[in-house]
Amino acid sequence: MNTPTVTVTIPATSANLGPGFDSFGIALQIFNKIHVKKEESPVNLPSMLKEAAALFFSKTSITPFPISINIEGDVPSARGLGSSVTVRLGVLLSLNELMQRPLEKKELYHLAVMLEGHGDNAAPALFGGFTIARAQREPLCYPLSSELRFILLIPDFEVSTVSARKLLPSKVPIKDAAANTADAAVIATAFATGKYELLRGAFQDRLHQPFRETLIPYLSEALVAAESVGALGGWLSGSGSTIAAIAENQKIAEEVVSVFQKIAPPESQFIITQVNNVGATIVS
Ligand code: HSE
């Protein structure tokens, strides 16, 4: 072992992007920094961190050793911005680094998906850019223009993904599934080719957002308002509570913030950010 401490930075992510439920995600320029240190004696860890460490040790057949974990950064918890994946990936990447990289990046991705249950946050957090996560396969990753702006309306309340998934129906009408498929294909094409104008009108979702509106009652109003001032579109970020919009430039992004401020309670936070095309980074 070269060093007993590793630090990694992991970006926040926005998942789903409307019709890309459990598949699409984008990495943002907001970060958590995770420090993992090898210890001599056992340290009590929160269950999410313990689980990630246990999975790493069992996958690599390395005898478990005690670690301490310190998390700092700006990714708000339980707001649909991938905070849980920053922590899980932080542990996996740090342990891998501490043990001189027994696992490849794609293996670490699959471990993060096992812990998360879906890859829509794990893929962009690890690889950066716009990503398409697929069951049992490697994600597709596309860098995006740094001209694009992502506007985040972050409410002052948390939403648990587990609870938000309980609101979803077990079956959906085939016409809704078909409409989502078509719009998701348009979004993937727009991001993969850089023809961002194609995004207009493509973010409508019929599989999860309508059922989660009870959690964020001003969701539809905010999305309509964002488009009315020129945003390319908007969506419920992950399972919420954050509402995200995308704009072609800073000027439109600022107008989106103005309309969001009129709709959301004053305790909300408003952020304009950009894509992160790099993904998780080992700092030291
Ligand atoms: N796609 C998940 C959901 C959240 O909407 O429940 C992010 O992983």
Side-chain angles (χ1 to χ4, degrees), residues 22-41:
D22 274 1
S23 173
F24 290 175
I26 288 180
L28 303 169
Q29 295 284 21
I30 302 170
F31 301 92
N32 270 351
K33 200 178 250 194
I34 321 287
H35 312 270
V36 173
K37 187 170 176 221
K38 188 173 189 229
E39 300 286 354
E40 294 304 322
S41 44

Side-chain angles (χ1 to χ4, degrees), residues 2 28 105 148 222:
N2 293 330
L28 303 169
K105 208 167 170 181
L148 290 172

Side-chain angles (χ1 to χ4, degrees), residues 231-271:
L232 292 165
W235 57 89
L236 180 65
S237 186
S239 58
S241 55
T242 295
I243 298 171
I246 178 172
E248 282 165 300
N249 57 52
Q250 179 71 16
K251 186 168 174 294
I252 297 173
E254 284 168 13
E255 288 179 29
V256 173
V257 169
S258 303
V259 293
F260 275 178
Q261 280 170 334
K262 288 185 191 131
I263 291 166
E267 315 78 66
S268 314
Q269 208 191 332
F270 305 91
I271 293 178

Side-chain angles (χ1 to χ4, degrees), residues 168-174 207 211:
L168 307 185
S170 56
K171 293 182 180 173
V172 293
I174 196 149
L207 302 189
F211 309 100

Side-chain angles (χ1 to χ4, degrees), residues 15-16 21-22 116 118 120-121 161 165 168 208 212 238-239:
N16 291 335
F21 181 67
D22 274 1
E116 287 275 302
H118 22 80
D120 52 354
N121 286 122
T161 299
R165 288 180 90 81
L168 307 185
H208 69 107
R212 290 170 163 170
S239 58

